[in-house]
Amino acid sequence: MDFKLCKTLSIAALLGGLLNTAQAQNGMTETSYRKYVSEVASDQLMGRLPFSKGETATINYLEQQFKALGLEPGNKGSYLQPVPMVSIYTNPDAQMKVTTPKGNIDLEGLKDYVIWTRRTDPKIELKNEDLVFAGFGISAPEFHHDDYAGLDVKGKIVVVLVNDPGYYDAKQFKGKTMTYYGRWVYKYDEAARRGAKGCLIIHDTGPAAYGFTVVQNSWKASKLYLDSRGHESYKCAIEGWLTLPATEKLLSAAGTDYKTLLNKALQPGFKGEALPLKVSTGLTTTVKYNQSHNVIAKITGTKHPEETVIYSAHWDHFGISKPDAKGDSIYNGAVDNASGTAALLELAKGFKSLKTKPERTIIFLSVTAEEQGLWGSAYYAENPVYPIKKTVADINMDMFYPYGKTNDVSVVGVGQSELEDYLAEAAKTQGRVIEPESDPAKGMYFRSDHFNFAKVGVPALYIETGTDLLGKGKAVGKQMHDNYTATVYHKPNDQYNASWDVSGTLQDLQLLFAVGKKLAYSDTWPKWKQGSEFKHLRP
């Protein structure tokens, strides 16, 4: 046999052996993982809805488990971080009246548009407000793109396109990989920063990655936000979406069409424009204030205790709600996200079992209200228990599929930070490879809790279960993922089953353990990569 090949195989065998030894020594086992996930997904925790008895049961359970593992309280002697929140129920007018050069057009609420507000005013009215087309509603210096250049939108209603230019033109932004600028929350925030009175996104199923029925769930609904009393920032009076057919009707009356405006917005040096349209509508609100909780535990570092490595996972789900066909009304959220919460506990158990304590402090952060808008992690990022400048990285866990071992592991947001390089090193010792997420156009990097750490400059890693199932291949793995999304995701039947094959989850946890250990037992600071929209926050 070729000497170089022998040497390569020997190194691979050695690394594999070291990883197997680590698995034997770090205390993480299938038995305890199954115990954790079955308990977190049990009916006793009542679906883990914030502000409910299920929350009380859940945070008590997590505190008990962290204590049993011997972890220290993570928040000045307490395991809890209170998260003050506000629930805003919006009751919009049934119609939106639009004045056009060709007469008035009445749009029907829910069918043609959906609106809500983040303001707590009891009543909001729009009367003959100007509409302005602002392209994609993006200001991104690193991509030399500014849809608001020379455009006055103060006190006006901004109409913008969904996603970012890269969806349509591979040479712009990151091509089909959605950037933060393509997310609806960015567009609403940027409109508010520009002083707009409102922001309406034109819905198009392709670039949105979901149908308008998803948006319709926000009609006459309660939305959770952080309680900002005492430090309020400007917010648009209304936020929402227009259907594409309704948009076409308005644009036709304005003497243009959707395709024309889209093509203009894709051109270099695009300039936004006022539309000859005025809109009138209104809404009322019902506001309730309440408090939820993040749960925080830690292992204090020996050499650099002020520097922290964070593992995060959200504990919340949807509680007790609409029953399914079998009459089951408890949304147990076993995969989403009892699996990640159990992983957090299992990793804590693994690090606690090591004979040598970490040099840096390791934080185990179980956050609330992810399902309602990533609010628990947002609150921590805005009100950190440990300084953001001393936070080395966040490793987030959200949904591990119980389908067995895979030859790959999916990295959500490939090209963001050096953490994925650390992951690739660890995966190599398992004989595995890292792969990009299957559909980067969906912007999954911006849809879980690590995103709030990225927004404040902390490099963040988020993986998904791979699709290349051992002995079965990618097609079978993808089919199983798709089946979960179609038939189980956010439904009462997302329940733990003893038939789960969690061998792949344990395999992934060893990877995340290895990445965290590399950071916690060294003075390494991972960096953002060139082209990341977060690099300017921590060069």
Side-chain angles (χ1 to χ4, degrees), residues 35 61 88 97 124 130 156 183 212 289 303 385:
K35 176 178 180 292
Y61 170 83
I88 303 176
K97 297 184 180 297
I124 292 172
D130 292 330
K156 301 173 184 177
R183 291 288 292 154
F212 195 70
Y289 293 93
K303 190 175 180 180
V385 177

Side-chain angles (χ1 to χ4, degrees), residues 36 52 112 373 399 438 459 471 522 524:
Y36 288 139
S52 71
D112 296 322
M399 297 174 57
S438 59
S522 72
T524 299

Side-chain angles (χ1 to χ4, degrees), residues 27 39 54 87 106 156 192 199 206 313 323 340 395 413 421 508 527-528 537:
E39 290 173 348
S87 170
D106 290 339
K156 301 173 184 177
C199 180
I395 300 171
D421 300 331
D508 287 346
K527 296 179 180 179
W528 292 105
L537 297 170

Side-chain angles (χ1 to χ4, degrees), residues 339-415:
S339 66
T341 303
L344 190 72
L345 294 169
E346 197 65 22
L347 285 163
K349 175 171 169 276
F351 277 104
K352 190 62 180 175
S353 72
L354 298 180
K355 293 181 180 179
T356 304
K357 290 186 177 181
E359 296 179 9
R360 287 167 162 158
T361 297
I362 305 177
I363 304 298
F364 300 91
L365 174 63
S366 186
V367 294
T368 184
E370 188 270 355
E371 301 288 8
Q372 291 78 21
L374 316 182
W375 294 117
S377 56
Y379 185 80
Y380 182 93
E382 294 176 13
N383 304 272
V385 177
Y386 303 91
I388 291 297
K389 288 185 178 180
K390 295 291 185 179
T391 302
V392 178
D394 172 61
I395 300 171
N396 186 54
M397 295 166 290
D398 191 354
M399 297 174 57
F400 291 97
Y401 294 105
Y403 304 145
K405 291 185 178 180
T406 62
N407 295 309
D408 61 343
V409 59
S410 296
V411 176
V412 179
V414 165

Side-chain angles (χ1 to χ4, degrees), residues 145 215 496:
H145 185 105
V215 175
Y496 171 74

